[in-house]
Amino acid sequence: MLLETRAQHFWPAGVVIALLVLLRRVIYPRRRKFDAATRREWARAAIDLVRRSGSVYNICEGASVEAVGEGRLDLKVVADASRQNFLASMHGGAISAAVDVSTTLAVFQEGTFPGASVSMTITYLAGCPPGAEIVAEARVVKIGRTLAFTECVVRRAADGVAMARGAHVKYVAAPRLYDLLLGWPRPVLATSVLRLALRFGLAGAITKRDFRARHDYEPHDAATERDTGLPRTDDGKRAYFDTFGAAGRAMQGWDRPLAGALA
């Protein structure tokens, strides 16, 4: 009788505790670790999204994920003509884009929201020959509740020489729905949503043609620059930079927004 009386008094408290535990799981879902196959799938999906929507130097065009693991990802890109400076080495901006994309992929393939950049520093160490294959080795140092800290070494694939070292900090606080999807016992639901979004073009319906039309850039295989009429050769690049920023001189390509700002 005594036990029954105590049970009658304590069962409401037990229900309340159970509801609080469930509520905590909803508000602060526990992030599940991805296996190697899921990491590679998410990384490739992100590359496809960036490729469709366009980016500076189209860094994901022709890029491939060479290796994935817990907190690490290797991204291979080619230093083709669209990513070269006037010395035919890989442009510093293209290297920065490779660091940005590879470290973001390393964060995203862990199931973390890709977020936005807080800071990024690059130290340039060496160049590369035209058309060389480049590997960006991204590593996740730490992922907190709102910030992710990453590092990256960009190397020449042929001899392993380090071309640049970078550090990238990202703000990764996720929308609640994103966390809820990844809070399930297995990230199957989130992965399924990702697959459907890619299949029906919901994750990035902007094609490369749309991107170029929207930003009014020339295709990478154009023979001349529309703004200056200079050929896309070494001589044309040198002629362009000989008068770079001079008053009355046209700016071409990605420099076009700077027109009039440097004079």
Side-chain angles (χ1 to χ4, degrees), residues 208-227:
K208 289 181 293 182
R209 174 188 293 179
D210 296 330
F211 176 78
R212 288 168 181 160
R214 183 178 59 181
H215 294 277
D216 205 22
Y217 295 124
E218 298 85 354
H220 292 317
D221 56 356
T224 60
E225 293 285 349
R226 185 192 62 193
D227 300 285

Side-chain angles (χ1 to χ4, degrees), residues 95-111:
I95 293 176
S96 296
V99 171
D100 184 3
V101 170
S102 63
T103 52
T104 300
L105 291 178
V107 169
F108 184 64
Q109 57 112 26
E110 294 295 324

Side-chain angles (χ1 to χ4, degrees), residues 143-165:
I143 298 178
R145 187 173 295 277
T146 59
L147 295 177
F149 300 85
T150 66
E151 297 176 344
C152 182
V153 179
V154 180
R155 301 183 185 276
R156 295 195 297 245
D159 54 13
V161 170
M163 296 172 54
R165 293 181 180 274

Side-chain angles (χ1 to χ4, degrees), residues 79-121:
D80 60 16
S82 67
R83 298 164 186 152
Q84 294 172 9
N85 57 23
F86 69 99
L87 295 176
S89 182
M90 192 168 184
H91 193 282
I95 293 176
S96 296
V99 171
D100 184 3
V101 170
S102 63
T103 52
T104 300
L105 291 178
V107 169
F108 184 64
Q109 57 112 26
E110 294 295 324
T112 301
F113 189 65
S117 297
V118 174
S119 67
M120 186 168 67
T121 59

Side-chain angles (χ1 to χ4, degrees), residues 230-250:
L230 294 172
R232 283 190 161 184
T233 62
D234 290 345
D235 290 339
K237 293 175 183 177
R238 291 189 179 92
Y240 174 66
F241 283 103
D242 280 345
T243 58
F244 183 80
R249 297 295 296 179

Side-chain angles (χ1 to χ4, degrees), residues 168-236:
H168 190 195
V169 181
K170 296 187 69 73
Y171 179 77
V172 294
R176 183 54 53 197
L177 178 60
Y178 188 93
D179 271 343
L180 288 175
L181 287 174
L182 293 181
W184 284 59
R186 295 182 62 191
V188 175
L189 179 60
T191 306
S192 300
V193 171
L194 179 67
R195 289 197 190 104
L196 288 173
L198 291 171
R199 179 177 299 176
F200 294 103
L202 302 178
I206 306 173
T207 64
K208 289 181 293 182
R209 174 188 293 179
D210 296 330
F211 176 78
R212 288 168 181 160
R214 183 178 59 181
H215 294 277
D216 205 22
Y217 295 124
E218 298 85 354
H220 292 317
D221 56 356
T224 60
E225 293 285 349
R226 185 192 62 193
D227 300 285
T228 60
L230 294 172
R232 283 190 161 184
T233 62
D234 290 345
D235 290 339

Side-chain angles (χ1 to χ4, degrees), residues 67-80:
V68 297
E70 186 172 356
R72 64 181 182 86
L73 179 141
D74 293 353
L75 181 71
K76 180 182 285 186
V77 299
V78 177
D80 60 16

